[in-house]
């Protein structure tokens, strides 16, 4: 039985193909259209999924959409009416977009995919999130928490999964939303909503949560983790371009200028920002205020999530927790839930945000609508498109690109390790691209984590990221305990997907400075020989040569672009930045020294 899951029209659009309850292909649309966070109907992702499954559209048994458009539209109209006339512009924009496309999803799917109307199913947004975590997890029973910006009405739910069934027993409704609260601070701190949330999280350790009491003036949290926002401080419920009210500005001061560089005394002023300004100290002091605000909203988010986790643990009496929704990508909060909540193990799938809803919808249809038993665990993230060795060589030859072809894998690995050891930055391209926002060794840029200057080097050559954003480590799962405070690392799926931030052991921080954040933590990826044997072998070889089986791993893209999919995109990226070496499967391209 073949089920196609689809999510689109809000955040990341995606498609997933489920065959007899097993995921066989999954991809976000942005990887094909090259438009970051593309939310349009995922034509190309669908085409890829069907192609991978060797299916014609009419052979699909069902298509499952990740939410109910009419209920979402009802919520939109209801909040517009409640805040009219302030919401006039929201109303105009909503009419334009909803009445053309968003509302008629069934018709659109019929047209685009070519499937009968009675084969199209609609899940609920948060049920899709819940299903995307629980049905991918290895747990027979688990508590479930979903937390995001907003779906139809729900912004967070508490639930429980047992076998092929999920029950949602409590929900928090719009406009009270932890995700939208975090996004309001993201905008206030000068970053793009739905993109800059990681930056707020990265900035937080440079500050102190001095304004926690002020955050709690906007956010009232009950013992069970349910919360209410004081809507006097926000405008996201009636505005299209502003998320917070001027009362918010009265409380926290003027927002940060999005064009200004962010740095503090502690982060320093990186060379790729240009010449250090004469009034560095003064600017750093001003920025410190914003770092303190970032720390405050981050701590409030963590505390709220912890209360929610404690409540769902108490209500279900279970020791396993499945987390989903955009807020589940907050890897610092996830680390705290693991350490401080009653749960022994968590499961979060790599695409925990709305893209993952496509997977959740397909799994919901298979298990909860069709009543089929579970046989599948999402063990890894490699579900995207791959490109054959033949196609790679044909591309290189066609464009007269000089390359070395390695038929001996060991020789290739030793060559790459020697380059990493010499301080070179390597683009590493292999197999199927990753599902979700993280590069996990198939579309990654790699560097030596032992060099304190490597973070600046990768930024200067390629990434140009803000100096407060850390780079992540990939570490052999069996060597993880040597460097990171994560007992039994093999048990923790979120660590496979780079969704935990944990402490680097104090005595190891100087060993791997390029991936140790200012607060002594690291957002690690544990690498397993079963799920990515080639990447495992590369890191093992690096470990044998240097004594440190860890590499710095960042996503294979330039700033503002989606991660690469094809060899052409990889080579183009390599050519447009200071990357030294490019590995395309068994072929190696090197810039002259
Ligand atoms: Fe969502």
């Amino acid at each position: 039985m073949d089920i196609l899951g689809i999510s689109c029209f809000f955040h990341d659009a995606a498609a997933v193909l489920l065959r007899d309850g097993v995921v066989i292909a999954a991809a976000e649309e942005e990887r094909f259209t090259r438009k970051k966070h593309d939310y349009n109907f995922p034509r190309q992702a669908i085409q890829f999924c069907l192609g991978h499954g060797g299916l014609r559209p009419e052979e699909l048994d069902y298509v499952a959409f990740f939410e109910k458009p009419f209920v979402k539209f009802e919520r939109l109209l209801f909040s517009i009416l409640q805040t009219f006339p302030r919401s006039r512009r929201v109303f105009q924009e909503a009419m334009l977009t909803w009445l053309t496309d968003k509302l008629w999803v069934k018709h659109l799917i019929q047209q685009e995919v070519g499937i009968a109307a009675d084969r199209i199913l609609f899940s609920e947004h948060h049920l899709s999130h819940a299903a995307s975590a629980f049905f991918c997890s290895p747990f027979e029973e688990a508590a479930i928490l979903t937390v995001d910006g907003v779906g139809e009405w729900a912004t967070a739910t508490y639930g429980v999964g047992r076998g092929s069934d999920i029950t949602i027993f409590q929900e928090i409704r719009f406009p009270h939303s932890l995700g939208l609260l975090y996004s309001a601070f993201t905008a206030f701190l000068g970053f793009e909503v739905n993109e800059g949330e990681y930056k707020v999280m990265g900035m937080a350790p440079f500050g102190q949560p001095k304004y926690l009491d002020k955050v709690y003036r906007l956010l009232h949290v009950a013992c069970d983790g349910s919360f209410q926002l004081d809507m006097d401080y926000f405008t996201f419920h009636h505005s299209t371009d502003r998320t917070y009210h001027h009362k918010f500005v009265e409380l926290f001061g003027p927002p940060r200028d999005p064009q200004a560089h962010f740095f503090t005394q502690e982060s320093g002023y990186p060379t790729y920002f240009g010449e250090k300004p004469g009034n560095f100290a003064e600017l750093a002091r001003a920025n410190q205020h914003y770092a303190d605000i970032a720390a405050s909203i981050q701590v409030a988010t963590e505390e709220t999530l912890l209360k929610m986790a404690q409540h769902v643990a108490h209500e279900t009496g279970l020791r396993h927790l499945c987390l989903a929704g955009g807020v589940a990508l907050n890897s610092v909060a996830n680390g705290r839930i693991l350490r401080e909540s009653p749960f022994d193990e968590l499961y979060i799938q790599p695409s925990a945000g709305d893209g993952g809803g496509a997977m959740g919808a397909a799994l919901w249809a298979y298990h909860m609508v069709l009543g089929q038993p579970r046989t599948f665990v999402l063990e890894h993230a490699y579900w995207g498109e791959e490109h054959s060795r033949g196609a790679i060589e044909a591309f290189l030859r066609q464009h007269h690109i000089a390359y070395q072809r390695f038929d001996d894998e060991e020789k290739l690995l030793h060559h790459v390790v020697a380059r990493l050891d010499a301080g070179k930055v390597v683009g590493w391209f292999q197999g199927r691209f990753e599902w979700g926002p993280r590069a996990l060794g198939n579309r990654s840029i790699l560097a030596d984590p032992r060099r304190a200057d490597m973070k600046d080097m990768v930024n200067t050559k390629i990434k140009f990221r803000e100096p407060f954003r850390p780079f992540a480590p990939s570490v052999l799962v069996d060597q993880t305990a040597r460097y990171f405070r994560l007992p039994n690392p093999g048990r923790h799926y979120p660590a496979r997907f780079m969704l935990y931030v944990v402490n680097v052991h104090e005595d190891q921080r100087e060993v791997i400075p390029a991936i140790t954040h200012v607060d002594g933590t690291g957002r690690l990826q544990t690498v397993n020989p079963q799920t990515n044997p080639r990447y495992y072998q590369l890191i093992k070889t690096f470990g044998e040569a240097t004594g440190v089986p860890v590499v710095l791993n960042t996503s294979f893209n330039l700033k503002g672009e989606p991660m690469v999919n094809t060899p052409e995109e990889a080579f183009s990226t390599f050519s447009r930045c200071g990357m030294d070496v490019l590995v395309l499967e068994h072929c190696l391209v090197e810039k002259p020294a």
Side-chain angles (χ1 to χ4, degrees), residues 417-443:
V417 162
R419 293 294 180 270
L420 288 170
D421 193 20
K424 303 291 183 196
V425 180
V426 176
W428 182 259
F429 177 108
Q430 60 163 20
R432 302 178 70 177
F433 69 69
E434 294 87 346
W435 169 239
R438 295 279 165 248
L440 299 169
N442 281 16
R443 298 290 185 280

Side-chain angles (χ1 to χ4, degrees), residues 452-484:
D453 59 350
M454 194 42 92
K455 200 178 122 180
D456 266 5
M457 211 132 91
V458 174
N459 269 327
T460 309
K461 286 182 171 203
I462 299 157
K463 287 285 186 163
F464 306 103
R465 302 206 313 191
E466 299 79 357
F468 57 84
R469 290 185 67 190
F471 283 111
S474 297
V475 56
L476 301 184
V477 66
D478 42 296
Q479 299 292 320
T480 300
R482 227 171 101 190
Y483 298 93
F484 300 95

